[in-house]
Amino acid sequence: AQSVTQLDSHVSVSEGTPVLLRCNYSSSYSPSLFWYVQHPNKGLQLLLKYTSAATLVKGINGFEAEFKKSETSFHLTKPSAHMSDAAEYFCVVRDNYGQNFVFGPGTRLSVLP
Amino acid sequence: GAVVSQHPSRVICKSGTSVKIECRSLDFQATTMFWYRQFPKQSLMLMATSNEGSKATYEQGVEKDKFLINHASLTLSTLTVTSAHPEDSSFYICSAASGSTLNTEAFFGQGTRLTVV
């Protein structure tokens, strides 16, 4: 079975400083991994995805994530936080059979002026 | 990216009535659609997975007779909350995927805020 752990339920950074949102997964096989962002009372928007190509994945809005198989991690980073980045972020793994998307518990990012 | 439209965005209904939520893929054929429920400040909980033309597969603990899912076409799935009660109040989100290969992402609707009074 797949599972996703997001180690921080809440991360707070100052505007202009780097962002690191941590994600670890468990999977029997090479998974597909995704990061989604959700603004309050909104649906989810895909930031980026890893699908066994390049291990460093670049997404929208300056976000990127690196797949590290040895650490079973897929941490999300951004060099410089913007106020509009404040939202809930979900790390997601897709299971071996290509059906369900398994969500992590989410990390709420706050950006302070 | 592809667009998934979910309607209505908000609905208030009386206890005991039924509510239907629609999820449409506007520019692609969704072979698989997923329905999620999200409680405040929590992650998405998968309720059921539906493939076009077949019965939905419900997650453990989700009442299939209460949450009726229909996926009659490749662009439309509906979730009907039957005999709604206040505890059914929640944020419901659908998503659609165009294939079952691992590199296919899911596209999400805007969500429906259901309030049962």
Side-chain angles (χ1 to χ4, degrees):
Chain A
Q2 323 295 306
S3 69
V4 180
T5 303
Q6 290 181 247
L7 298 169
D8 306 299
S9 59
H10 183 209
V11 169
S12 185
V13 301
S14 297
E15 189 174 22
T17 63
V19 175
L20 169 64
L21 304 183
R22 297 182 290 171
C23 171
N24 288 88
Y25 68 93
S26 69
S27 174
S28 300
Y29 303 98
S30 296
S32 283
L33 293 156
F34 309 83
W35 275 99
Y36 285 88
V37 60
Q38 183 183 33
H39 289 91
N41 292 309
K42 300 290 186 183
L44 279 76
Q45 180 184 23
L46 179 69
L47 283 178
L48 47 81
K49 65 178 181 180
Y50 165 76
T51 57
S52 75
T55 56
L56 182 62
V57 181
K58 294 187 183 297
I60 63 172
N61 301 336
F63 285 95
E64 61 181 42
E66 185 172 9
F67 173 72
K68 292 186 177 180
K69 186 176 181 179
S70 61
E71 298 177 7
T72 60
S73 69
F74 190 56
H75 301 332
L76 181 70
T77 60
K78 182 173 180 176
S80 176
H82 191 272
M83 295 296 288
S84 60
D85 294 328
E88 190 83 18
Y89 291 79
F90 294 99
C91 183
V92 182
V93 61
R94 191 167 198 186
D95 67 24
N96 302 329
Y97 302 102
Q99 281 285 324
N100 298 344
F101 292 78
V102 177
F103 279 76
T107 298
R108 182 164 60 91
L109 175 65
S110 297
V111 181
L112 306 175
Chain B
V3 177
V4 174
S5 176
Q6 187 172 341
H7 178 80
S9 58
R10 289 180 180 273
V11 58
I12 300 173
C13 70
K14 290 185 177 180
S15 187
T17 62
S18 296
V19 173
K20 181 184 283 188
I21 303 170
E22 291 188 348
C23 181
R24 293 179 184 274
S25 57
L26 298 185
D27 51 3
F28 68 102
Q29 293 186 325
T31 53
T32 308
M33 286 191 170
F34 308 89
W35 286 96
Y36 298 87
R37 183 172 181 177
Q38 185 179 33
F39 292 100
K41 300 186 187 301
Q42 293 189 28
S43 188
L44 279 69
M45 181 190 77
L46 179 65
M47 299 174 66
T49 302
S50 71
N51 293 297
E52 184 265 339
S54 61
K55 289 185 178 180
T57 302
Y58 289 82
E59 295 300 300
Q60 191 172 10
V62 178
E63 300 176 59
K64 61 180 182 181
D65 294 330
K66 178 155 186 73
F67 298 100
L68 300 178
I69 291 173
N70 184 283
H71 191 168
S73 77
L74 284 170
T75 59
L76 174 64
S77 177
T78 60
L79 167 67
T80 301
V81 183
T82 62
S83 186
H85 290 283
E87 58 265 30
D88 298 325
S89 299
S90 192
F91 194 57
Y92 293 87
I93 303 178
C94 72
S95 72
S98 60
S100 61
T101 56
L102 283 177
N103 62 0
T104 303
E105 70 255 37
F107 300 96
F108 287 81
Q110 310 94 311
T112 297
R113 171 73 58 193
L114 170 63
T115 303
V116 184
V117 298

